[in-house]
Amino acid sequence: VIQAEIKGYKTDLDTSNNKKTTYFRVVRSFDPNMKEVYPEIVEENYKDWLDYTIHFQNTGKAPAANIVLIDTLDTRLNIESFDILSSSHNFNARIDNNILFIDYPGIELPDSFTDSEGSKGYFKFRIKTKNPLQNNEYLDNFVDIYFDDNAPVRTNSA
């Protein structure tokens, strides 16, 4: 929140326009491995689709032969409504006990130093909640992204 107030001269006849408040969303530095949801904020009793996109980028120093995304879905989401919308590459997907596994076997994703645009990928899906969302209720989760045999890269919470 940024607030500013101008103290005018005694001749300022209209002081109602001397204050301004601006709200900015605070975000961290850009990470190409992230998860996002749309809509991000909903009205009470919302029961329509939530569209999720998982973005990934190989920022290593060599092509990634295999990539796996593991997304633990909130138990308040209706798994029966799960719908894959699109993906940047060929994949295998399955859900076991509310855990979404997306596997990109043999993807050979270039590294970002060699091919910045070619080093990126995404997986997009939509899902509904089991019950309408209530006031101040939120769903919050992240994705672990595995590039080959390396430790997972954890995304932001969406």
Side-chain angles (χ1 to χ4, degrees):
V1 176
I2 295 177
Q3 296 178 327
E5 181 177 356
I6 298 172
K7 300 281 184 177
Y9 292 103
K10 292 181 182 179
T11 58
D12 187 359
L13 300 176
D14 181 9
T15 59
S16 66
N17 62 358
N18 291 3
K19 291 183 181 181
K20 176 75 174 174
T21 302
T22 303
Y23 298 89
F24 291 94
R25 183 173 173 202
V26 177
V27 295
R28 61 189 176 143
S29 61
F30 175 73
D31 185 343
N33 299 294
M34 62 179 259
K35 183 176 184 181
E36 60 185 342
V37 61
Y38 179 82
E40 188 174 353
I41 299 172
V42 297
E43 297 292 323
E44 186 171 12
N45 293 317
Y46 185 82
K47 57 184 179 181
D48 205 355
W49 293 103
L50 296 169
D51 290 2
Y52 287 96
T53 305
I54 303 166
H55 300 272
F56 56 91
Q57 183 176 20
N58 177 10
T59 59
K61 303 217 184 306
N66 298 293
I67 297 174
V68 176
L69 314 176
I70 299 179
D71 186 352
T72 303
L73 302 172
D74 193 290
T75 57
R76 293 171 289 174
L77 293 172
N78 180 357
I79 299 301
E80 298 299 317
S81 70
F82 178 83
D83 184 26
I84 297 170
L85 298 175
S86 62
S87 180
S88 58
H89 298 80
N90 292 331
F91 64 92
N92 298 315
R94 74 183 198 294
I95 298 176
D96 290 329
N97 298 321
N98 276 59
I99 301 175
L100 171 61
F101 296 90
I102 304 138
D103 184 19
Y104 293 93
I107 189 172
E108 296 297 333
L109 194 69
D111 63 86
S112 58
F113 298 104
T114 304
D115 181 357
S116 181
E117 283 306 306
S119 68
K120 298 174 185 175
Y122 72 90
F123 182 83
K124 186 169 186 166
F125 67 94
R126 67 183 183 166
I127 195 166
K128 292 184 177 183
T129 58
K130 291 178 182 174
N131 299 302
L133 295 173
Q134 300 305 306
N135 195 24
N136 294 322
E137 181 179 16
Y138 64 94
L139 308 173
D140 191 27
N141 76 304
F142 53 84
V143 177
D144 284 327
I145 303 173
Y146 293 83
F147 293 90
D148 295 325
D149 295 324
N150 296 307
V153 174
R154 181 160 283 178
T155 68
N156 60 300
S157 292

